[in-house]
Amino acid sequence: MSNYIESGSIIAIATSLGFWQAEFHLSDGFVGILAAFSANAFGAAIGAILGGPLTDRLGRKFIYTYDLLLYMLGVLLAVFAVNSGMLFAAFLITGIAVGAGVPASWTYIAEQAPDHARAKHVGMAQLAWSIGPLIGFALAAALAPLGLFGSRIIFFHLFVVAAIVWWVRQGLPESKLWTDVKTGAVSTAASGRGMRALFSKRVNITALLFLFGVYGFWNLVAGQAGIFMPRVYEAAGVHSAVEQDLLQVLVWGCTVAATYFGFMRLADRMSRRILYAIGALLGILAWVVLVFAPPGLATLLTFAVTWGIASGIGAQAFYGVWTAELFATSYRASAQGVLFFAARIAVGLLSSVFPLLLASSGVPTVGLLLIGFLAVALLIGVIWTPATQGKSLRQIEGERYARWSSEAARSDAATPAPREPATEVTQTQR
């Protein structure tokens, strides 16, 4: 449910930007700033870099207890926003709450999941993330005749859902794996905790770079598509807001189906390298069709189906699994916070200029840029797919950090010991 309301807030912003722009007479540049500081980018980045370390230090449930209170404040401000300043505050506060909740939720699910079905359980979060936009765009299409008032209703529905989820969350137990490590009930191969320990080991640095290559570059595309896709459709010739929203319903409906029938059912059983490659190639194909195929309904429908399927078995689902597997329990959420922070900062920088770039250059130029990002994510994910499938988190941690410790020990042993400085031998010593 945390994934549902988090992605739902992004879609609520995406479907309402045009109405806010008309109501408050906002420029394209300010619309880009609103998007950049929302749950889609900088706001989420701030929340992630704060929430990740707090999740490791104080527990997964600590974030669950408080982050939705902040979220409810943010969406409620959007419901009653009367000027651009109030709207900016609403988007920023909601974004911070979303960013704080994501590392906690993905970490918690992975730590509670059975070893042989970790991808299936983490895929459930991806499924909920996909259902949020599916319902959000469907609501937007249904409420489009109401204009901005309809958008305020969508934000209010998120407030109601968040309040229910917050109440239910109070009964969740703390992660047993985190509790065991925190209390010292189990021994760990990785030493230290927190951000300093995270960045002190080469094995962590390489994992951070790999995961940013997979998720960061893919998310540059998904981040723009998630919040600016209605504008892309308009630039491609679809001017009806209802038709734009229905195309997005199709995209996310395909994403939900692909997540369930593709990722959740296959990622624990078949080669993850092959499954990842299929999703990444489909994503590139989708944007190639949108950019190079003749404009028309057939092209847009092909794009919607292909991009939806690609997103269901694509980088975000694999990122959710791999980011839990490649880091020690003592700083697993901190790593997620760092990665989410970096990815959302990148999205925010692009979002701040994307509306202007789209208006000045059109779909072909923007599409080629996004295809390039997807190609980078494809190559990195396929070449360096980690061999973690079917192993427990403790087993993976033992293998990765024991190997790092042995390599460090061999390196120390190969380094000549410093010679003791020569000392003068005195007559007494003789």
Side-chain angles (χ1 to χ4, degrees):
M1 289 308 299
S2 63
N3 282 268
Y4 169 80
I5 58 177
E6 286 155 5
S7 62
S9 64
I10 295 174
I11 303 311
I13 294 169
T15 56
S16 65
L17 277 176
F19 296 126
W20 297 115
Q21 186 172 15
E23 178 73 12
F24 298 145
H25 308 290
L26 308 176
S27 66
D28 284 343
F30 191 78
V31 169
I33 292 173
L34 281 175
F37 282 88
S38 70
N40 199 47
F42 292 150
I46 296 169
I49 203 64
L50 296 173
L54 285 175
T55 301
D56 283 329
R57 186 179 303 121
L58 302 176
R60 286 50 171 141
K61 190 177 177 180
F62 173 82
I63 295 297
Y64 276 170
T65 303
Y66 297 106
D67 73 311
L68 280 190
L69 296 176
L70 190 63
Y71 180 92
M72 285 186 279
L73 172 63
V75 293
L76 204 59
L77 281 174
V79 171
F80 297 105
V82 295
N83 54 51
S84 58
M86 193 172 177
L87 187 64
F88 178 83
F91 286 8
L92 178 61
I93 291 171
T94 304
I96 292 173
V98 166
V102 166
S105 64
W106 285 352
T107 299
Y108 184 89
I109 292 170
E111 290 179 348
Q112 299 291 86
D115 300 332
H116 65 280
R118 189 177 304 115
K120 179 180 179 181
H121 282 248
V122 174
M124 189 66 196
Q126 174 69 12
L127 187 71
W129 184 279
S130 305
I131 291 173
L134 175 65
I135 294 178
F137 280 112
L139 285 174
L143 297 174
L146 299 179
L148 182 57
F149 182 70
S151 295
R152 294 181 190 272
I153 292 175
I154 294 174
F155 278 102
F156 185 72
H157 118 274
L158 291 172
F159 171 82
V160 173
V161 174
I164 296 171
V165 173
W166 177 83
W167 179 76
V168 173
R169 275 184 178 182
Q170 307 314 302
L172 282 176
E174 182 56 89
S175 164
K176 186 176 186 305
L177 186 58
W178 178 84
T179 302
D180 289 343
V181 171
K182 181 74 173 178
T183 59
V186 298
S187 58
T188 60
S191 59
R193 62 179 64 246
M195 300 290 276
R196 179 176 296 182
L198 173 65
F199 284 101
S200 68
K201 298 176 176 59
R202 187 175 63 190
V203 65
N204 292 334
I205 302 298
T206 56
L208 287 170
L209 292 174
F210 163 73
L211 287 165
F212 182 81
V214 168
Y215 181 64
F217 282 96
W218 176 86
N219 199 53
L220 279 171
V221 181
Q224 310 315 312
I227 202 161
F228 290 125
M229 205 63 215
R231 290 171 178 256
V232 174
Y233 289 143
E234 184 165 352
V238 180
H239 302 294
S240 167
V242 174
E243 292 176 1
Q244 294 168 6
D245 291 337
L246 290 176
L247 278 170
Q248 287 297 85
V249 170
L250 177 60
V251 169
W252 289 102
C254 292
T255 302
V256 169
T259 300
Y260 181 75
F261 293 105
F263 186 81
M264 291 178 65
R265 293 203 169 191
L266 299 177
D268 289 307
R269 296 154 56 184
M270 71 174 286
S271 166
R272 288 182 178 175
R273 177 177 278 111
I274 293 175
L275 187 60
Y276 177 86
I278 293 172
L281 287 170
L282 284 174
I284 293 174
L285 176 62
W287 285 92
V288 167
V289 167
L290 185 65
V291 172
F292 295 107
L297 181 60
T299 295
L300 291 173
L301 290 176
T302 302
F303 167 81
V305 172
T306 310
W307 179 243
I309 295 172
S311 299
I313 56 175
Q316 180 162 291
F318 279 98
Y319 165 82
V321 176
W322 287 336
T323 197
E325 293 177 339
L326 297 182
F327 299 100
T329 302
S330 54
Y331 41 74
R332 181 171 290 122
S334 297
Q336 292 229 29
V338 169
L339 286 163
F340 206 71
F341 171 82
R344 295 297 173 158
I345 287 292
V347 169
L349 292 174
L350 185 56
S351 295
S352 62
V353 299
F354 192 85
L356 299 174
L357 185 63
L358 182 62
S360 61
S361 303
V363 173
T365 300
V366 171
L368 285 173
L369 177 66
L370 300 183
I371 289 170
F373 292 147
L374 292 174
V376 173
L378 164 67
L379 292 174
I380 292 174
V382 169
I383 293 172
W384 288 289
T385 304
T388 52
Q389 191 169 354
K391 300 177 181 179
S392 70
L393 293 179
R394 291 188 61 188
Q395 179 185 354
I396 296 168
E397 181 177 328
E399 292 175 354
R400 286 177 57 76
Y401 291 95
R403 186 185 309 123
W404 178 85
S405 299
S406 62
E407 289 175 357
R410 285 196 299 270
S411 176
D412 291 342
T415 303
R419 296 180 60 184
E420 294 292 332
T423 56
E424 180 182 355
V425 181
T426 63
Q427 182 68 32
T428 304
Q429 287 172 325
R430 292 192 188 96

